[in-house]
Amino acid sequence: QVQLQESGPGLVKPSETLSLTCTVSGGSISSYYWSWIRQPPGKGLEWMGYMYYSGSPDYNPSLKSRITISVDTSKNQFSLKVNSVTAADTAVYYCVGWNYALRAFDIWGQGTMVTVSS
Amino acid sequence: QSALTQPASVSGSPGQSITISCTGTSSDVGGYNYVSWYQQHPGKAPKLMIYDVSNRPSGVSNRFSGSKSGNTASLTISGLQAEDEADYYCCSYTSSTTVVFGGGTKLTVL
């Protein structure tokens, strides 16, 4: 069964770039649309964007100017970059698989907390 | 895109049924049968409970059911149990080929 594991720094300085990687194990990177979803402390889920390994990404319009999602098939990984971060980007970041047959997110990583602070 | 609208909280006693609503627009909930629901316990990742408005993934209790009318989707939990206490989020595919979540509903089992 497919499993996801996020990795990356837990602390990022304001105005810098947040970079996270998700490693896909137990399955093919071609099986899902790969997505990032975040959750600020005490708040709800926010979809950031997704992409299929061979396609173009779709992004949340509110974040589109600052984020990049990419897929590295050779490493079975996908990544997230968020530019010019502020305290508002402090959140638990989940890497998630969008099952296009179910039209739903059915595989979730455990989540990684990223704090933006100097 | 605007978040889907959910009640902030609902509550019910063990054995009762509750319904959580999720209101969007004709560009998301009303335009597609691609509504999903997620359960999230504190400190845990969300779990898929319903997809395509009313379908349950394997392993999800049949006490959970979903429906849709117009621009509003609903999640019903029957025979409430203490373990159902959690946050619930609806989600919809949109006409912009993006995805939007609801603000979340906290379910309290009294």
Side-chain angles (χ1 to χ4, degrees):
Chain A
Q1 108 196 26
V2 179
Q3 293 185 311
L4 306 179
Q5 179 64 60
E6 304 91 349
S7 59
L11 180 64
V12 181
K13 289 182 169 56
S15 80
E16 295 190 344
T17 297
L18 179 162
S19 296
L20 295 174
T21 296
C22 184
T23 300
V24 181
S25 60
S28 171
I29 197 116
S30 64
S31 302
Y32 286 83
Y33 278 67
W34 300 111
S35 183
W36 291 92
I37 293 170
R38 70 180 182 179
Q39 185 171 36
K43 296 188 177 181
L45 301 172
E46 180 181 35
W47 175 77
M48 301 183 73
Y50 57 19
M51 74 175 290
Y52 191 55
Y53 79 101
S54 62
S56 299
D58 283 303
Y59 297 129
N60 185 320
S62 68
L63 298 169
K64 189 172 184 176
S65 64
R66 294 197 299 128
I67 72 171
T68 302
I69 294 174
S70 59
V71 177
D72 186 338
T73 55
S74 67
K75 296 181 179 179
N76 250 32
Q77 293 177 334
F78 61 104
S79 300
L80 169 72
K81 291 187 186 299
V82 183
N83 300 321
S84 306
V85 297
T86 69
D89 294 307
T90 294
V92 174
Y93 286 76
Y94 294 100
C95 62
V96 190
W98 167 267
N99 186 321
Y100 48 81
L102 304 185
R103 273 82 63 174
F105 298 106
D106 71 343
I107 297 178
W108 294 70
Q110 65 183 22
T112 187
M113 180 68 199
V114 178
T115 301
V116 178
S117 174
S118 56
Chain B
Q1 59 191 26
S2 299
L4 307 176
T5 301
Q6 297 181 232
S9 63
V10 298
S11 63
S13 299
Q16 289 185 331
S17 295
I18 64 93
T19 296
I20 299 171
S21 62
C22 170
T23 301
T25 69
S26 58
S27 295
D28 39 64
V29 174
Y32 304 90
N33 288 325
Y34 301 157
V35 176
S36 50
W37 289 89
Y38 302 84
Q39 176 192 65
Q40 185 181 33
H41 288 110
K44 300 294 187 182
K47 174 187 175 183
L48 175 65
M49 305 301 285
I50 295 286
Y51 67 94
D52 284 354
V53 174
S54 60
N55 293 311
R56 282 186 308 276
S58 174
V60 172
S61 171
N62 59 10
R63 297 185 298 105
F64 291 82
S65 62
S67 62
K68 191 185 87 166
S69 177
N71 294 339
T72 299
S74 298
L75 173 71
T76 298
I77 309 174
S78 59
L80 267 181
Q81 299 180 0
E83 68 213 46
D84 299 331
E85 185 163 293
D87 294 326
Y88 291 85
Y89 295 89
C90 63
C91 177
S92 177
Y93 183 76
T94 82
S95 59
S96 303
T97 68
T98 60
V99 169
V100 63
F101 279 98
T105 298
K106 181 177 180 60
L107 168 62
T108 300
V109 180
L110 302 171

